[in-house]
Amino acid sequence: MAPRGDKPKPTARDYEKFKASQAEISRQRSEAGRDIGELPPVADPARRAACEHDLRLFAETYFPHRFNLAWSDDHIRAIEKLQTCVLDGGLFAYAMPRGTGKTSLAEVSALWAGLYGHRTYVVPIGATQELGNALVESIKTELETNERLVEDFPEVCYPIHSLEGVGQRRLLFRGELIRQNSTK
C-alpha cells in the first residue's frame, strides 16, 4: 500500500491519454490561429463595379502609384486594344519605348482579367524565365499589398494578405484548408 498523500504512479496508458489530450489541445490552438475568419465585405462596391468593364479606370483607380502621369495617345490605344483582347478575345502585340509602362499595363491587364473573371486563366509570359517569374512576383505583390485591391476584392486578396508573406502557411477558412488550386 502506498504511503498516505502519495499519488499512484501513472501508467503507460495514462501517459498515452495525456499525450493525446495535449495533442488535441495543440491542434485546436493551431487551427484557431490559422483560420482567417470571415471575409471582410467589399469596401467600395460602386468603385469596384465602375471598373469592371473599363481597364483604363481600373488602372487609374487601383494603381495610381504606377500610373501617375497623363496618358499619351499611344497608351490610350494600347489600353483599348488590351481591353478588347481581354473582353472579346484576340491577340495584340505592342511596342513602345523603354520605361513607358508596357510591363505595368500587361500586369494590370492580367489582374483586371482575373479579378473580374473576364478570363479563367491568365498566363503572364516574359522574354526569359527570369522575366516571367518577375511578372508573376509583381502580380502576387499587388494582390498581397495593394490596399485598394485588398479592400475591394477580399475574396481574392484577403487570404493572400493573411499569409503575411509566409507562403508555406496553411491557412483555413471556415475550418477548411485554403488551397491555391482549389476548384471549389
Side-chain angles (χ1 to χ4, degrees), residues 127-161:
T128 65
Q129 182 174 352
E130 184 178 319
L131 292 173
N133 290 343
L135 286 171
V136 171
E137 286 304 313
S138 179
I139 290 169
K140 285 168 46 177
T141 298
E142 289 291 353
L143 291 171
E144 180 181 4
T145 63
N146 183 314
E147 289 303 319
R148 284 191 184 158
L149 289 180
V150 172
E151 290 173 355
D152 287 355
F153 296 91
E155 70 280 12
V156 174
C157 300
Y158 183 70
I160 297 168
H161 188 73

Side-chain angles (χ1 to χ4, degrees), residues 14-55:
D14 293 333
Y15 180 66
E16 290 304 319
K17 283 175 56 179
F18 174 76
K19 275 188 2 183
S21 71
Q22 293 302 305
E24 179 60 21
I25 290 169
S26 179
R27 186 190 65 71
Q28 288 175 358
R29 284 183 183 155
S30 173
E31 281 187 12
R34 292 184 298 130
D35 199 304
I36 65 171
E38 291 301 311
L39 294 177
V42 174
D44 192 337
R47 175 174 64 191
R48 177 176 165 159
C51 297
E52 185 171 3
H53 296 287
D54 190 333
L55 175 57

Side-chain angles (χ1 to χ4, degrees), residues 13-113:
R13 184 174 172 193
D14 293 333
Y15 180 66
E16 290 304 319
K17 283 175 56 179
F18 174 76
K19 275 188 2 183
S21 71
Q22 293 302 305
E24 179 60 21
I25 290 169
S26 179
R27 186 190 65 71
Q28 288 175 358
R29 284 183 183 155
S30 173
E31 281 187 12
R34 292 184 298 130
D35 199 304
I36 65 171
E38 291 301 311
L39 294 177
V42 174
D44 192 337
R47 175 174 64 191
R48 177 176 165 159
C51 297
E52 185 171 3
H53 296 287
D54 190 333
L55 175 57
R56 178 178 172 181
L57 183 60
F58 178 75
E60 293 169 349
T61 301
Y62 291 98
F63 303 92
H65 58 285
R66 286 186 175 215
F67 306 110
N68 54 3
L69 301 174
W71 300 109
S72 71
D73 290 341
D74 289 338
H75 285 114
I76 292 169
R77 278 193 297 278
I79 290 169
E80 289 170 353
K81 287 286 213 175
L82 287 165
Q83 179 171 308
T84 298
C85 288
V86 169
L87 295 177
D88 302 327
L91 300 172
F92 171 55
Y94 60 108
M96 295 165 72
R98 273 181 88 79
T100 57
K102 294 181 301 294
T103 300
S104 289
L105 280 174
E107 290 173 4
V108 168
S109 297
L111 282 162
W112 181 68

